[in-house]
C-alpha cells in the first residue's frame, strides 16, 4: 500500500514539475517577445545570435534576456526561502521578511544612500550584506536562546521593528534619501544586468541544492522537534542550516531585485496544494512556479502601461495582498470549526 502511494505521489510530482517547466518556458518566450517594442520569434532568435539591427540586439541581449534571467532567479530564490522558513517555523504565514531579511537590506541601503550618496553602485552589495547580516543575527540570537519555532519568529519580529524604526528615523532626518530608497523598497528588475545576477544565481543554486539534499530530514523536522530528535535528526543544527539557506536565497535576490514581497508567501502554498507536504517535491515545484510567477508579473508590468512600466513589486503586491487576506480568513475559519 505504501509503495503504491509513493508511486502515485512521485508520478503526481513529476507531472506537476513538467507542467510547471512548460509554463516557465512559455513565460520566458513571452517575456522576450513582448514589451514596449513587440518582436517576432524570428527577430528574437536572430537577435540572440547577434544578427538583427543594433537596436533589436540591444533590446534582446542587454535588456530583456538579463531581466528574464533575473526574474527566474528572484522567483526561485524567494520561493525556496519561503518553503524553508515555513518548514522550520511551522508557520504558514512565514516569508523572508518575517525574520528581518527585508528590513536588514533596507536599513543597509538607506545608510549607504545617506552617508555615501555618490556610490550608488554599492547598493546591491549593501543590500546583500544587510539582509544576510540581519538573518545571521537572528540565527545567533536564536541559537543562544534556543532554536525553537517560536524563538525564530519572535526574534525576527523584534529585529524587524528595530530596523524599520531606524529606517524611518533616517528618512525623516535626511529626506533626500527617500527618492532613491523608494525605488529599492518597491522592488523591481528594471536596468538589471547580467553581471549583477551571476553571484546571486550561484548562491541560490547552492542553497537549493543543500535544501534538496537535506529534504528528507527537513520533512521529519516538520513532524515536530521531539519526534525528529527521536528519529536521529539533529534538530538545532538542521534548523540553523535551513535558516542559513533561506537567508542566502532571500539576501541574494534582494541584492538585485529590491524588497520584492509576497513571492515567498504565495508560492509555497500553491506548491503544497499541488504536491502535498513533502519538502523535496515542494522545493522543486516552488522553484519552478516562483520563476513562472515573477517572470509573468514582470512581463505584465512592462506591457500594461507601455511604454511606461509598473515595477514587478507593485504587481506582486496586487497578487499577494489578497492571497494573504485569504490565508488569514482560512485560518480564522479553521480555528472556529476546530
Amino acid at each position: 500500500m505504501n509503495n503504491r502511494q509513493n508511486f502515485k505521489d512521485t508520478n503526481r510530482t513529476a507531472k506537476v514539475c513538467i507542467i510547471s517547466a512548460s509554463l516557465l518556458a512559455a513565460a520566458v518566450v513571452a517575456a522576450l517577445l513582448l514589451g514596449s517594442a513587440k518582436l517576432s520569434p524570428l527577430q528574437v532568435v536572430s537577435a540572440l545570435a547577434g544578427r538583427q539591427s543594433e537596436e533589436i540586439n540591444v533590446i534582446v541581449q542587454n535588456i530583456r534576456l538579463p531581466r528574464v534571467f533575473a526574474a527566474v532567479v528572484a522567483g526561485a530564490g524567494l520561493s525556496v526561502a519561503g518553503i524553508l522558513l515555513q518548514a522550520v517555523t511551522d508557520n504558514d504565514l512565514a516569508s523572508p521578511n518575517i525574520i528581518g531579511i527585508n528590513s536588514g537590506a533596507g536599513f543597509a541601503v538607506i545608510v549607504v544612500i545617506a552617508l555615501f550618496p555618490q556610490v550608488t553602485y554599492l547598493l546591491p552589495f549593501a543590500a546583500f550584506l544587510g539582509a544576510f547580516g540581519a538573518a545571521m543575527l537572528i540565527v545567533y540570537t536564536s541559537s543562544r536562546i534556543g532554536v525553537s519555532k517560536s524563538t525564530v519568529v519572535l526574534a525576527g519580529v523584534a529585529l524587524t521593528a528595530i530596523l524599520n524604526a531606524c529606517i524611518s528615523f533616517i528618512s525623516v532626518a535626511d529626506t533626500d534619501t527617500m527618492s532613491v530608497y523608494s525605488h529599492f523598497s518597491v522592488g523591481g528588475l528594471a536596468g538589471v544586468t547580467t553581471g549583477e545576477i551571476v553571484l546571486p544565481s550561484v548562491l541560490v543554486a547552492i542553497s537549493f541544492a543543500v535544501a534538496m539534499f537535506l529534504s528528507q530530514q527537513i520533512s521529519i523536522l516538520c513532524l515536530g522537534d521531539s519526534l525528529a530528535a527521536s528519529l536521529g535528526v539533529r534538530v538545532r543544527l538542521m534548523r540553523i542550516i535551513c535558516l542559513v539557506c533561506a537567508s542566502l536565497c532571500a539576501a541574494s535576490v534582494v541584492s538585485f531585485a529590491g524588497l520584492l514581497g509576497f513571492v515567498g508567501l504565495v508560492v509555497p502554498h500553491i506548491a503544497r496544494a499541488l504536491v502535498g507536504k513533502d519538502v523535496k517535491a515542494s522545493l522543486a515545484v516552488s522553484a519552478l512556479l516562483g520563476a513562472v510567477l515573477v517572470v509573468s508579473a514582470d512581463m505584465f508590468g512592462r506591457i500594461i502601461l507601455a511604454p511606461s512600466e509598473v515595477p514587478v513589486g507593485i504587481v506582486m503586491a496586487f497578487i499577494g495582498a489578497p492571497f494573504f487576506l485569504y490565508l488569514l480568513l482560512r485560518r480564522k475559519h479553521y480555528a472556529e470549526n476546530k
Side-chain angles (χ1 to χ4, degrees):
M1 187 69 179
N2 287 336
N3 290 336
R4 182 180 298 177
Q5 184 61 42
N6 290 337
F7 176 77
K8 287 183 178 180
D9 292 343
T10 302
N11 193 38
R12 181 177 60 175
T13 300
K15 288 180 179 178
V16 172
C17 285
I18 292 171
I19 294 172
S20 301
S22 300
L23 290 174
L24 178 58
V28 167
V29 171
L32 291 174
L33 295 175
L34 302 177
S36 56
K38 293 182 180 179
L39 304 177
S40 68
L42 182 59
Q43 285 178 310
V44 170
V45 172
S46 299
L48 290 173
R51 295 175 181 172
Q52 276 291 329
S53 65
E54 183 178 355
E55 180 183 1
I56 295 179
N57 286 341
V58 169
I59 290 174
V60 175
Q61 294 183 9
N62 298 350
I63 299 177
R64 291 189 184 175
L65 191 60
R67 188 164 179 163
V68 169
F69 184 48
V72 170
V73 174
L78 292 175
S79 300
V80 168
I83 283 284
L84 292 175
L85 291 175
Q86 290 175 18
V88 300
T89 61
D90 194 25
N91 185 342
D92 60 0
L93 298 181
S95 59
N97 62 315
I98 201 172
I99 63 169
I101 291 176
N102 282 6
S103 298
F107 175 70
V109 165
I110 202 168
V111 166
V112 170
I113 294 171
L115 299 181
F116 310 103
Q118 307 302 321
V119 290
T120 53
Y121 61 88
L122 290 178
L123 293 184
F125 184 65
F128 177 84
L129 286 183
F132 192 66
M136 291 305 96
L137 182 59
I138 293 300
V139 171
Y140 174 76
T141 303
S142 300
S143 65
R144 297 284 294 181
I145 301 173
V147 191
S148 66
K149 298 169 183 176
S150 59
T151 301
V152 172
V153 174
L154 292 175
V157 170
L159 181 62
T160 298
I162 293 171
L163 292 174
N164 284 341
C166 293
I167 292 171
S168 299
F169 176 79
I170 295 173
S171 64
V172 170
D174 185 1
T175 55
D176 293 336
T177 63
M178 286 308 297
S179 59
V180 180
Y181 178 74
S182 60
H183 174 73
F184 172 82
S185 64
V186 167
L189 300 171
V192 68
T193 63
T194 304
E196 290 177 332
I197 54 181
V198 171
L199 181 58
S201 62
V202 171
L203 293 176
V204 168
I206 291 173
S207 300
F208 176 73
V210 172
M212 289 292 282
F213 179 74
L214 297 173
S215 59
Q216 186 174 358
Q217 295 186 61
I218 300 172
S219 294
I220 297 174
L221 183 64
C222 294
L223 300 176
D225 291 0
S226 299
L227 180 57
S230 68
L231 294 174
V233 175
R234 299 175 66 180
V235 173
R236 184 168 176 167
L237 176 62
M238 190 56 53
R239 185 162 282 123
I240 289 175
I241 291 174
C242 288
L243 288 173
V244 171
C245 288
S247 303
L248 267 177
C249 284
S252 298
V253 173
V254 164
S255 70
F256 66 84
L259 304 183
L260 186 58
F262 292 108
V263 181
L265 172 68
V266 172
V267 178
H269 286 273
I270 299 174
R272 284 194 294 268
L274 293 173
V275 296
K277 295 184 178 181
D278 179 69
V279 171
K280 189 172 187 177
S282 298
L283 282 168
V285 173
S286 285
L288 290 169
L289 290 180
V292 172
L293 181 61
V294 178
V295 171
S296 302
D298 184 56
M299 177 184 65
F300 183 76
R302 286 192 287 116
I303 64 177
I304 187 174
L305 295 177
S308 300
E309 69 172 64
V310 179
V312 64
I314 295 177
V315 178
M316 283 306 309
F318 277 114
I319 297 172
F323 190 86
F324 183 72
L325 291 175
Y326 162 74
L327 292 177
L328 292 177
L329 291 172
R330 192 178 70 172
R331 271 192 162 196
K332 182 176 182 292
H333 178 75
Y334 176 78
E336 289 175 348
N337 294 323
K338 192 171 180 180

